Amino acid sequence: MTDDEALILAAQAGAAWGATGTPLLIRNRENAVFGVMTPLGRGALRLHRTGYQSAESIQSELWWCEALARAGAPVPQALRTRDGDLLHRCPDGRIASVIGWIDGGIMGEGGVPLPGSRAEQADLHHRLGAILAQIHRKTDDLDLPGNFFRPWWDVDALLGDRPLWGQFWSHPQLRGDETRRMAGVRDLCRERLRDYAAGSPDFGLIHADVLRENVILGNGMTLIDFDDSGFGFRIYDLGTVLSQNLYEPHFDAIRDGLIGGYGGLRAADLAMLPV
């Protein structure tokens, strides 16, 4: 979908929320995202990519964010249409939704060195760990509606024969020894994860994409973009954070800050976290 095509759809969809003015394109990648002004305040309008999430799944994501925001968690508030709906169906069948705008800048970018001193980076991740713990615990207090549906990030979804994000061990750009090595990585990780899963791990709704780009620093710290959220191992959220920091000079301080903010982990969790 071109930027011009997305702009037309965004303007049509924004009317369902009573949006005024011309939508401002933020990005046009997996989802096309626009800044809009609604009677409820500024929002981020998403035109959801076709074929990735069902209407039921997107509605469940927004219901979860709405419930978390109502419970005081630092996540965007889902904004409802003038008719009280969480979703709007565009003329081409694409689904649109709007979440409240969060002022601030992103925590960082993948592949770009993280700014700040050792102590500052540790403190930043201590705060992030506390937010993840808050989201996980508040989620456990919710009564999910009967039609709630999100993907499962279990062993098979991550490392089975048909994982949700594809077979990384058979990537077409891998050659010879690389293919064998990555197949070995997959086998090792799957074995470790199966053993971990058999030990009553903390499993529930997770964000599943806690990257620097999805953490907004402004008036506090806010976690955004629940597009890939689902049911999974809770330490997967912590592992995703650390995956972008593996080569940071202060990785140990970042790791310890994140774990400390989360409130500590069991021995089995600590052993599984690097995997």
Side-chain angles (χ1 to χ4, degrees):
M1 180 170 56
T2 68
D3 291 354
D4 288 342
E5 291 170 337
L7 178 59
I8 294 171
L9 279 181
Q12 293 172 341
W17 281 266
T20 58
T22 302
L24 175 64
L25 179 63
I26 306 300
R27 69 169 185 261
N28 186 5
R29 297 188 304 197
E30 296 92 348
N31 301 324
V33 182
F34 291 82
V36 295
M37 183 57 69
T38 79
L40 297 175
R42 192 178 180 193
L45 184 147
R46 295 183 298 173
L47 299 175
H48 294 265
R49 65 188 120 165
T50 303
Y52 184 62
Q53 300 282 5
S54 67
E56 181 183 43
S57 184
I58 296 170
Q59 181 156 307
S60 297
E61 170 207 338
L62 295 168
W63 182 94
W64 184 30
C65 286
E66 186 178 56
L68 285 174
R70 191 164 51 242
V75 303
Q77 172 70 56
L79 303 185
R80 292 179 176 263
T81 69
R82 291 179 297 180
D83 293 333
D85 299 321
L86 288 168
L87 306 178
H88 172 75
R89 183 79 68 171
C90 297
D92 70 344
R94 193 181 296 264
I95 296 170
S97 66
V98 177
I99 57 174
W101 188 266
I102 305 297
D103 287 318
I106 59 175
M107 180 175 168
E109 297 180 67
V112 178
L114 190 67
S117 66
R118 178 185 179 90
E120 288 170 337
Q121 291 180 5
D123 177 68
L124 195 64
H125 284 83
H126 190 279
R127 291 166 59 194
L128 180 55
I131 285 175
L132 291 176
Q134 181 185 14
I135 289 173
H136 292 166
R137 305 305 166 241
K138 287 185 179 297
T139 296
D140 288 342
D141 293 335
L142 299 175
D143 291 322
L144 304 182
N147 62 347
F148 190 94
F149 174 81
R150 290 300 299 174
W152 281 67
W153 293 107
D154 56 12
V155 179
D156 286 338
L158 293 169
L159 295 161
D161 294 332
R162 299 178 64 184
L164 291 183
W165 278 349
Q167 298 180 347
F168 66 83
W169 57 91
S170 61
H171 193 284
Q173 292 187 18
L174 295 175
R175 296 291 182 267
D177 288 344
E178 294 174 334
T179 300
R180 288 188 289 274
R181 184 176 184 184
M182 294 309 292
V185 169
R186 180 252 186 149
D187 291 342
L188 173 63
C189 290
R190 183 169 54 172
E191 179 182 352
R192 292 284 302 276
L193 190 54
R194 282 176 173 169
D195 290 343
Y196 175 74
S200 300
D202 189 1
F203 193 95
L205 273 173
I206 60 173
H207 181 279
D209 196 23
V210 191
L211 301 177
R212 298 171 183 175
E213 295 87 344
N214 290 333
V215 180
I216 301 297
L217 302 178
N219 184 21
M221 178 182 283
T222 305
L223 185 60
I224 65 169
D225 194 353
F226 284 68
D227 196 35
D228 294 314
S229 62
F231 295 93
F233 303 99
R234 289 282 168 64
I235 62 166
Y236 185 79
D237 274 347
L238 280 69
T240 306
V241 175
L242 295 180
S243 70
Q244 282 189 316
N245 291 290
L246 282 173
Y247 305 107
E248 290 290 344
H250 306 311
F251 174 77
D252 59 334
I254 290 171
R255 178 200 60 214
D256 293 347
L258 182 71
I259 294 172
Y262 192 74
L265 295 173
R266 304 174 307 163
D269 300 327
L270 289 170
M272 191 63 200
L273 188 55
V275 179

